[in-house]
Amino acid sequence: MATTVISGGTDGIGRALADTYLELGHEVLIVGTSTEKGQAFLTAAERNGAGDRARFLRADLSLVAENRRVIDLITDTYPAIDLLVLGARFHRSTRAETADGLESNFALFYLSRYLLSHGLIGPLSRAERPVVLNFGGSGRTGPVRWHDLQLRHNYPGTGALGHSGALCDLLGVHFTRLHADTPVHYVLNHPGVVSTSFAGEYDRATAADVRRLKAVGKPVSLAVAHILPFLADPRARLTAVLEGRQVPTDTRGFDPADAARLHEVTEKLLAGLPR
Ligand SMILES: NC(=O)c1ccc[n+]([C@@H]2O[C@H](COP(=O)([O-])OP(=O)(O)OC[C@H]3O[C@@H](n4cnc5c(N)ncnc54)[C@H](OP(=O)(O)O)[C@@H]3O)[C@@H](O)[C@H]2O)c1
């Protein structure tokens, strides 16, 4: 039986993908912080006769240790992973740091995805046609603040999401180079504005913007329909998708030297954290 793992699978596009792959007969594990939302997924799966294939894992993926716990648990539970979706995000209007001392968007939107994808390369490699889906910037966000990755100066508000998206693009580039000897295909997706929960803590002005985005955003079902063909049949080892259209990956935002640089900086950062 095929296995799908979804970080941020309790809500928004992640939850819709969880339902979709459950319907397609996969075993589906979703990860999020809300026990209530996790239970809602399990209850719906039970109702649809798929309870035995649905699983929820509560974890705060903004913490490095939690990612490592999740990786160990998944590796012990599933021999192979066919689809890994990296979708957890939580945005704050004002800068915040995690208990690891990392800027919160950097920690959840980028570093968790770095840890989960590299950390699960074993079970991913054992699947027949494994795919990683990461919601990045697809070359449309950035530039990367190389001298301020933790966004200490002039915190850009919602721009912090775009910054993490640009880091995820580079993560995808280096991941495919580093694991070129595995069958893993990597899909980067920018879905455009989608009417989801927009999980976060917002000041009044940003909350008003978020309400507007929810009102004009495309339905989650359309965002899912846009990406499903690329997951079923990825066109290259690395594919970038923008609102359902493939976009080139030979542009500035996918520079292999930048991607290698980010990998090196990330490894150094992780080495400096207490284990
Ligand atoms: N919606 C858009 O317009 C839009 C636009 C561009 C890109 N994207 C990208 O698409 C992806 C999915 O976005 P979405 O809008 O569908 O998401 P969403 O509705 O905001 O849901 C976010 C998900 O992240 C989980 N999450 C939040 N904090 C977490 C934590 N500390 N640890 C683990 N999980 C956590 C939430 O679960 P809990 O509530 O259970 O914690 C939830 O499942 C994201 O990468 C987003 O950046 C979305």
Side-chain angles (χ1 to χ4, degrees):
M1 192 189 301
T3 298
T4 289
V5 172
I6 307 180
S7 84
T10 53
D11 217 327
I13 307 169
R15 168 64 199 270
L17 285 168
D19 293 341
T20 302
Y21 281 93
L22 213 49
E23 267 172 42
L24 290 171
H26 285 214
E27 196 156 337
V28 177
L29 169 71
I30 62 168
V31 188
T33 66
S34 165
T35 306
E36 201 183 331
K37 292 182 194 173
Q39 191 52 51
F41 169 68
L42 298 179
T43 305
E46 196 75 49
R47 219 177 22 240
N48 296 326
D52 55 332
R53 290 186 284 109
R55 194 154 174 203
F56 163 63
L57 180 58
R58 192 189 175 285
D60 179 353
L61 294 174
S62 66
L63 300 173
V64 171
E66 281 285 86
N67 282 279
R68 295 204 165 116
R69 178 177 72 85
V70 166
I71 290 164
D72 288 348
L73 196 141
I74 292 174
T75 306
D76 289 348
T77 311
Y78 302 102
I81 298 172
D82 298 84
L83 175 62
L84 172 65
V85 177
L86 303 167
R89 64 107 174 241
F90 188 91
H91 183 60
R92 291 179 179 84
S93 316
T94 47
R95 187 179 182 279
E97 287 191 357
T98 65
D100 294 317
L102 301 172
E103 192 280 320
S104 65
N105 294 284
F106 178 91
L108 182 63
F109 200 138
Y110 166 65
L111 191 60
S112 162
R113 299 173 187 204
Y114 179 98
L115 290 164
L116 291 175
S117 54
H118 288 296
L120 292 171
I121 191 64
L124 280 165
S125 300
R126 287 191 283 277
E128 209 172 299
R129 297 193 75 250
V131 179
V132 175
L133 168 64
N134 190 356
F135 289 87
S138 286
R140 293 303 190 277
T141 62
V144 170
R145 289 192 191 183
W146 287 107
H147 300 292
D148 188 22
L149 288 175
Q150 299 302 317
L151 307 179
R152 287 194 175 88
H153 308 287
N154 300 319
Y155 180 71
T158 44
L161 293 169
H163 190 258
S164 297
L167 299 182
C168 284
D169 287 350
L170 295 176
L171 164 59
V173 172
H174 201 70
F175 182 95
T176 42
R177 288 170 87 87
L178 202 63
H179 303 298
D181 60 339
T182 72
V184 182
H185 285 68
Y186 205 105
V187 179
L188 287 160
N189 181 37
H190 187 321
V193 181
V194 188
S195 189
T196 65
S197 76
F198 283 87
E201 283 168 11
Y202 304 112
D203 58 26
R204 193 186 284 221
T206 316
D209 283 345
V210 165
R211 273 196 301 277
R212 266 193 298 280
L213 290 175
K214 280 188 185 183
V216 301
K218 63 171 77 74
V220 170
S221 56
L222 182 55
V224 169
H226 276 163
I227 197 62
L228 285 182
F230 295 93
L231 303 182
D233 186 18
R235 302 175 188 180
R237 288 307 289 263
L238 177 71
T239 310
V241 181
L242 176 68
E243 299 194 67
R245 281 178 303 109
Q246 187 173 355
V247 293
T249 53
D250 57 357
T251 54
R252 186 75 186 86
F254 302 96
D255 184 74
D258 282 352
R261 177 181 179 186
L262 181 62
H263 185 84
E264 198 180 316
V265 169
T266 307
E267 283 298 303
K268 263 196 201 138
L269 182 148
L270 286 168
L273 294 177
R275 276 202 74 99

